[in-house]
Amino acid sequence: MAQEKIAARIFDSVVKRYDRFLKFATFGFIDRWQEILVKQTPAGNFPLDVGTGTGEVVKKIHSIYPNSIPVGIDVAFNMLKKAKEKNKEKKNLFIRASAYDLPFKNKSIDSILTSLVFRHLEPDNAAREFSRILKDGGHIGILDISKPSKFIYGSIYFFANKIFRPIGEKIFSKDEYDYFMESIENSMTAKQLEEFFKEKGYSKVFMEKRFLGMVVIAVFKKEADIKF
């Protein structure tokens, strides 16, 4: 898809400064949020990290589930190189692949995790492919931007788009920063996310809001009769 080509170009260009920016933009909370995501998502033998980026979630999977063999996929080649460097001492696999065309057999993956990725995806197409490869009873764990109350969301969006933008554009280009701002606008509320996965045949097993409700960490379990 065209959007994936844009994402690949942007994330390939920011790989050297991405981790630093993410820690700064989340006031250092990103590591804690990812730890919660991984701990609350039963990994199984073969967990899949969609949009693995620089491999931080895979790194935490190794720490929390040492017997698992995680797989990380991303459309950005430079991100995958960085992820592989970070996790070179462990058993894992990194693949350049689309979330809409995953190179795995039906019902072959034990769990799927996404960290700050789901809002970038076309949700119906992504969920269909996730359901195809995920085993019955498997789990999807999502950490992402969420829309809280209109006042809080409006205030934080104003800060990100007006106050923080000059700093962001020193790290990224204007077009790259615009891409991130657009993705925030496309994010779901926690309730919308829960309803979306319920409609797809999943049950909620964990949900927690962080950062004044601007961040949601949620885990959903796949029921056995899902059609994909």
Side-chain angles (χ1 to χ4, degrees), residues 52-109:
T52 193
T54 63
E56 279 297 317
V57 168
V58 167
K59 188 176 179 180
K60 291 173 176 67
I61 291 172
H62 282 306
S63 176
I64 295 168
Y65 301 105
N67 294 323
S68 295
I69 303 176
V71 180
I73 70 112
D74 207 296
V75 295
F77 180 73
N78 290 340
M79 285 285 192
L80 290 169
K81 285 176 61 179
K82 185 67 174 179
K84 193 171 183 178
E85 288 174 12
K86 283 187 178 182
N87 294 279
K88 62 184 177 181
E89 303 299 327
K90 305 290 185 179
K91 287 185 178 180
N92 49 58
L93 181 64
F94 291 100
I95 303 171
R96 191 176 189 184
S98 165
Y100 311 119
D101 186 20
L102 294 166
F104 308 105
K105 295 180 180 179
N106 294 354
K107 300 183 179 182
S108 61
I109 295 295

Side-chain angles (χ1 to χ4, degrees), residues 130-176:
F130 291 175
S131 294
R132 180 185 69 79
I133 67 167
L134 189 63
K135 293 179 180 178
D136 294 339
H139 293 79
I140 293 179
I142 293 175
L143 160 62
D144 218 325
I145 301 296
S146 177
K147 290 180 179 177
S149 70
K150 288 184 179 180
F151 175 76
I152 294 175
Y153 174 76
S155 299
I156 296 177
Y157 186 86
F158 175 82
F159 173 81
N161 195 39
K162 301 297 184 182
I163 308 301
F164 187 70
R165 178 177 281 276
I167 299 172
E169 289 185 7
K170 289 183 182 296
I171 301 173
F172 304 101
S173 70
K174 180 181 182 301
D175 288 344
E176 291 165 351

